[in-house]
Amino acid sequence: MTFATLRALQAIIGDAIDEIYAAYKSEHPPNCNSPSPSISVSASSSSSSSPAPPSPKPHRSPTPPLLSLSNHTLSSASHYSQSQPSNIPIPPSNDDTLLDFPDLNLPGDPSSPAELLTSRPDVANAISRIVAAASQLAVVVRPPFLTICDASMIYHLPSCLRFLEASHIPELLSAAGPSGLSVIEISASVGVDSVKISHILRLLATHHIIRESEPDTFALNRISALLDSGRSFTECRSAPGKKYDAECGGVAALAALNTDELFKASAYFTDALLHSPDASLKSTPATSASALLPPISLSSGPMSPSTQSVSRSPLTRAQPVIRRLLSRPKLSGSTDDRPFGFPVSPPRIPTPDTGPVLAPTAFNLSQATTLPYWTWLETPENGNRLARFARAMAGTEGWMGASDTELCAFPFPELAEGALVIDVGGGIGSTTLRLAERFSKLRFVVQDREPVCRLGEAAWDIHSPTLIKSGRVRFQVHDFFKPQPAYDGDIKPAVFLLRVVCHDWPDALARRILLQLRRAADEGAPDKKPTYLVICDHLLPYACTSTKTSELSVGGGTEALRGAQWPLLANLGAASANAYWMDMTMQVTLGGQERTLPELRLLAESAGWRLIRVARTEGSLFAHVVAEPGALPSGSALGNRSPSVATLVASDGEEEIPSAIVDRGATPAMDLLSAARTLLRARTGGKKGSSGESVWGRWMQRKSYADENDARRGLAGSAAEKIVPSPSPGGQGRGLLRKVSQYFGEGS
């Protein structure tokens, strides 16, 4: 059966190469007298693409049927085992009119006909099949030990890639041209030992990321050329904070982001999930940096019935390691003069301005900070990182390919003149720009945090000032955990756009975002369209086929990928790896995740949205999901308790918030610690029994937080009993408030 698998994989590769060859042969060459080719990219993965031109080798057996529940089985082996030997090499063509596939050894032009053709749906699908089959074939034939070694030592690859990008070597090699530079010449500019440089670049060359043209001489190729920011080496060294401002700097920014704080966070993923709970919290000196961590009982959210039976919560298990890491001495906070130097942030306590308090992530461990990633990114010492992140989001457009087909598909063409599109968490507005250029009849509002909006306005003033001045596009500072503001006489938005936003948050908080949008949505009428929700995120297929077809269908389509035939994995394996890398990135950095279709459907329905369309760009798992308002489920209050976050709103969400608490700045969107600190700040002289404490205590008592605290004590055991005081005569809320007071050093 293994030889049948190998020959099947061989046949898949050969058939796909033939399809790509036929597609390129059918196009006009770039040097002929006819007009430049108009390459069609209009087909989408949600419908059948136009068939590829006939194969130039009629003897080859046709490609097996696409993935379905019936043909992705071992019974398909007979198709391959009985086929005739194939994959006869196609000799090089002497015809100058043939448009050739992009050369790996040369820097490519993303706008060239050869590069654009790789995004055409039929070509992209064939490329995915080649990548999936070739990688699977290598794993099948290679000794398992070597595969384990590669997988467990792959961490050196992003480490070396970061050095390549951060030392601005792509800019050096870009100026040198195809001949490249010797490591001696590179060393003279970068200031790093030439032998070390040669070994770093050779590892990258071994993985085809860069080219070693002669011994110890390196040049850019089709892959590493994307890391050229478009600025000169001198400009990058003198102003590293502006390195990614050029139009082509997005991919370099994305690579730098992935190989810097995100790569470091990944190293702590297991520490954040599994570690010994034996370390004593009580033994930690109060004066150490780890004392900045809140007690277990106040950091984790209220327990749900499904988690009360677990012996230890993730946060409980994490506390000893977090405290130990935070107690380590830190590097200096000042930025050195190296071109890739960034400061290290000291630990800080979440405040009402920093958003919800979440269970610590691997990112928190790696940076020894209690700040959520977004707040950490916006600290003054991370200004360059914030600007880099904004540009990196523009670089992610590579997930969508060269085509705007899916992004600009339903519902945007059907919207009325002057319809309003809200780009929620839209960053600097990269996606809005593409939509605004395509649909001149629409208006747009880009919402994000204040520092991000400032960056966006500055970028648009340079690249698209007319759209801002005309009023068609504007930026708005907004927290998407809070209710949407009114627009132009309380007009309802036509579309809420969430591009790479939901994957940033765990389900409990993603649901809060969707609920706020659902409450601001127009449910529509027979003569009026509803407010649509467009979610753009990676959508993860299973690595196997599923018999639960009802879970995988939306609007008559299924979740299976085109071209995933036996013996390929149902998700096309390595061809789809980018989406699964991103899934882990979200988990280690933010506690979020990419989702499967059933997971996304469940999340949307829990917030009152009904999925009506799912489409992917061919060759990618990046999906565009459209939803319309559905029924709001019972218990859909924004403050519903969950294991991930504690809030101050009753489960029904209808109880009026005491004015004394509102006057002191506490809001329903705050978590327990944020509201507690807000109220503590309102106390007069730190005296007990103040009105803020009394109102807090009475309200907390009405919310039955005594039951919640009892559940926590039962979960955490005796250690938690020593930390959490017993209910006092003033109510359980007052007991919690007293402990918070001690925690912040504001009263005894």
Side-chain angles (χ1 to χ4, degrees):
M1 184 60 73
T2 301
F3 280 111
T5 298
L6 293 176
R7 292 200 178 278
L9 294 171
Q10 179 189 29
I12 290 172
I13 294 171
D15 289 337
I17 291 175
D18 284 352
E19 292 175 24
I20 296 173
Y21 177 85
Y24 274 76
K25 186 176 182 181
S26 68
E27 293 295 333
H28 293 291
N31 60 347
C32 66
N33 296 327
S34 59
S36 298
S38 176
I39 298 175
S40 172
V41 291
S42 60
S44 71
S45 60
S46 60
S47 60
S48 299
S49 62
S50 56
S55 169
K57 299 178 65 182
H59 72 274
R60 182 177 301 286
S61 57
T63 300
L66 303 182
L67 173 67
S68 70
L69 296 178
S70 60
N71 67 25
H72 194 79
T73 62
L74 294 179
S75 62
S76 301
S78 59
H79 171 87
Y80 300 98
S81 60
Q82 297 174 6
S83 61
Q84 296 297 319
S86 57
N87 296 327
I88 299 173
I90 299 175
S93 173
N94 295 323
D95 187 356
D96 292 337
T97 64
L98 176 65
L99 179 64
D100 200 6
F101 197 84
D103 189 340
L104 172 63
N105 291 323
L106 298 175
D109 177 6
S111 62
S112 69
E115 290 285 359
L116 290 176
L117 192 54
T118 63
S119 298
R120 201 174 80 178
D122 58 328
V123 176
N125 181 268
I127 291 173
S128 293
R129 281 182 277 134
I130 291 173
V131 173
S135 62
Q136 186 171 333
L137 191 151
V139 171
V140 170
V141 300
R142 201 176 191 204
F145 173 75
L146 294 181
T147 300
I148 290 292
C149 287
D150 269 3
S152 60
M153 298 173 69
I154 196 67
Y155 50 83
H156 291 302
L157 191 59
S159 178
C160 293
L161 188 62
R162 184 189 178 208
F163 174 80
L164 175 74
E165 191 283 326
S167 57
H168 319 305
I169 291 177
E171 286 76 16
L172 270 178
L173 297 182
S174 177
S179 59
L181 292 174
S182 70
V183 293
I184 301 296
E185 295 171 300
I186 296 173
S187 174
S189 297
V190 175
V192 177
D193 180 73
S194 61
V195 174
K196 293 187 181 297
I197 292 176
S198 68
H199 284 249
I200 291 171
L201 298 187
R202 190 164 294 114
L203 175 66
L204 297 175
T206 302
H207 287 81
H208 306 286
I209 293 174
I210 201 168
R211 180 170 61 94
E212 187 169 17
S213 55
E214 295 180 10
D216 291 326
T217 299
F218 296 88
L220 296 181
N221 64 3
R222 183 186 177 214
I223 297 173
S224 52
L226 291 178
L227 297 178
D228 179 8
S229 66
R231 292 185 174 272
S232 68
F233 176 81
T234 303
E235 290 174 328
C236 293
R237 286 294 299 266
S238 60
K242 298 181 179 180
K243 175 178 179 178
Y244 311 109
D245 290 350
E247 185 175 354
C248 58
V251 176
L254 180 63
L257 169 67
N258 288 338
T259 57
D260 186 10
E261 63 259 31
L262 304 188
F263 171 54
K264 294 170 184 174
S266 179
Y268 287 84
F269 192 28
T270 299
D271 299 88
L273 296 177
L274 302 173
H275 47 267
S276 171
D278 298 332
S280 172
L281 299 180
K282 186 177 179 180
S283 63
T284 304
T287 55
S288 70
S290 62
L292 292 171
L293 282 172
I296 294 174
S297 61
L298 295 180
S299 293
S300 58
M303 304 309 301
S304 67
S306 62
T307 58
Q308 290 183 14
S309 61
V310 182
S311 59
R312 299 191 309 273
S313 70
L315 180 60
T316 302
R317 298 194 303 267
Q319 289 286 359
V321 172
I322 299 168
R323 293 178 184 276
R324 187 162 61 251
L325 289 170
L326 290 182
S327 64
R328 293 177 180 174
K330 293 300 299 177
L331 301 175
S332 170
S334 60
T335 306
D336 60 23
D337 58 357
R338 298 179 69 84
F340 42 93
F342 285 104
V344 178
S345 296
R348 290 180 175 82
I349 290 298
T351 70
D353 297 326
T354 63
V357 176
L358 302 174
T361 65
F363 162 78
N364 295 118
L365 302 187
S366 68
Q367 297 293 334
T369 179
T370 57
L371 288 179
Y373 177 67
W374 302 120
T375 310
W376 175 86
L377 202 61
E378 293 172 0
T379 55
E381 60 267 32
N382 284 323
N384 284 350
R385 279 191 169 105
L386 177 61
R388 182 182 68 187
F389 182 90
R391 290 296 299 138
M393 291 303 96
T396 63
E397 292 178 358
W399 286 325
M400 297 186 292
S403 171
D404 286 338
T405 302
E406 295 303 339
L407 174 64
C408 298
F410 179 83
F412 296 106
E414 286 78 11
L415 299 181
E417 183 83 23
L420 182 63
V421 177
I422 309 297
D423 191 353
V424 182
I428 61 174
S430 301
T431 303
T432 287
L433 178 61
R434 299 175 74 171
L435 290 170
E437 291 176 342
R438 177 70 71 89
F439 302 106
S440 59
K441 65 179 182 178
L442 303 180
R443 296 177 298 143
F444 299 86
V445 173
V446 183
Q447 295 178 341
D448 216 301
R449 296 167 68 99
E450 183 177 1
V452 180
C453 286
R454 288 199 302 266
L455 289 171
E457 289 170 342
W460 282 65
D461 283 342
I462 296 174
H463 300 291
S464 302
T466 56
L467 289 172
I468 294 290
K469 293 177 181 178
S470 67
R472 281 191 57 221
V473 177
R474 66 184 179 93
F475 283 81
Q476 181 182 57
V477 176
H478 179 65
D479 180 352
F480 46 42
F481 289 112
K482 298 179 180 179
Q484 281 284 317
Y487 300 96
D488 301 336
D490 202 27
I491 186 175
K492 295 288 187 179
V495 173
F496 286 120
L497 174 63
L498 285 170
R499 184 182 183 275
V500 291
V501 171
C502 288
H503 74 168
D504 290 342
W505 303 97
D507 285 347
L509 297 184
R511 180 172 177 268
R512 290 174 65 186
I513 298 171
L514 297 180
L515 276 168
Q516 293 288 18
L517 301 183
R518 174 63 181 86
R519 294 180 177 225
D522 191 332
E523 296 188 359
D527 59 342
K528 185 180 181 183
K529 295 181 182 296
T531 297
Y532 294 105
L533 172 69
V534 178
I535 299 175
C536 302
D537 271 326
H538 286 104
L539 207 56
L540 304 180
Y542 299 119
C544 62
T545 55
S546 173
T547 57
K548 300 178 180 179
T549 55
S550 60
E551 291 184 356
L552 302 178
S553 61
V554 173
T558 61
E559 217 252 344
L561 297 180
R562 293 175 60 252
Q565 67 230 33
W566 184 87
L568 300 179
L569 295 178
N571 62 357
L572 285 179
S576 303
N578 261 261
Y580 298 88
W581 295 130
M582 185 55 60
D583 179 33
M584 293 297 103
T585 298
M586 295 301 102
Q587 295 201 39
V588 303
T589 311
L590 302 164
Q593 63 182 29
E594 305 291 350
R595 294 174 172 87
T596 64
L597 180 55
E599 288 170 343
L600 183 60
R601 183 204 300 276
L602 183 62
L603 173 64
E605 290 177 350
S606 73
W609 292 99
R610 180 175 60 253
L611 304 189
I612 60 174
R613 182 181 186 268
V614 177
R616 287 193 182 94
T617 300
E618 189 63 78
S620 171
L621 295 187
F622 196 74
H624 298 77
V625 181
V626 182
E628 63 182 12
L632 275 169
S634 59
S636 60
L638 296 179
N640 261 8
R641 302 173 187 175
S642 73
S644 302
V645 63
T647 63
L648 301 178
V649 181
S651 60
D652 60 7
E654 301 299 330
E655 182 173 349
E656 182 179 358
I657 303 170
S659 59
I661 290 182
V662 175
D663 292 343
R664 286 166 176 77
T667 69
M670 286 184 182
D671 56 87
L672 180 58
L673 285 175
S674 297
R677 187 167 190 181
T678 299
L679 296 178
L680 285 166
R681 284 176 170 174
R683 294 172 59 188
T684 304
K687 297 179 180 179
K688 290 184 179 181
S690 65
S691 60
E693 181 174 353
S694 300
V695 173
W696 168 269
R698 292 197 300 271
W699 197 35
M700 290 283 281
Q701 194 172 26
R702 288 205 306 273
K703 303 299 185 188
S704 301
Y705 269 90
D707 294 339
E708 170 199 325
N709 203 47
D710 289 341
R712 286 214 183 107
R713 276 204 305 276
L715 179 74
S718 59
E721 292 177 5
K722 297 177 182 179
I723 296 173
V724 183
S726 300
S728 64
Q732 181 67 19
R734 185 170 296 183
L736 284 173
L737 183 63
R738 184 183 300 111
K739 193 61 194 178
V740 176
S741 301
Q742 295 170 358
Y743 165 55
F744 285 115
E746 302 184 32
S748 58

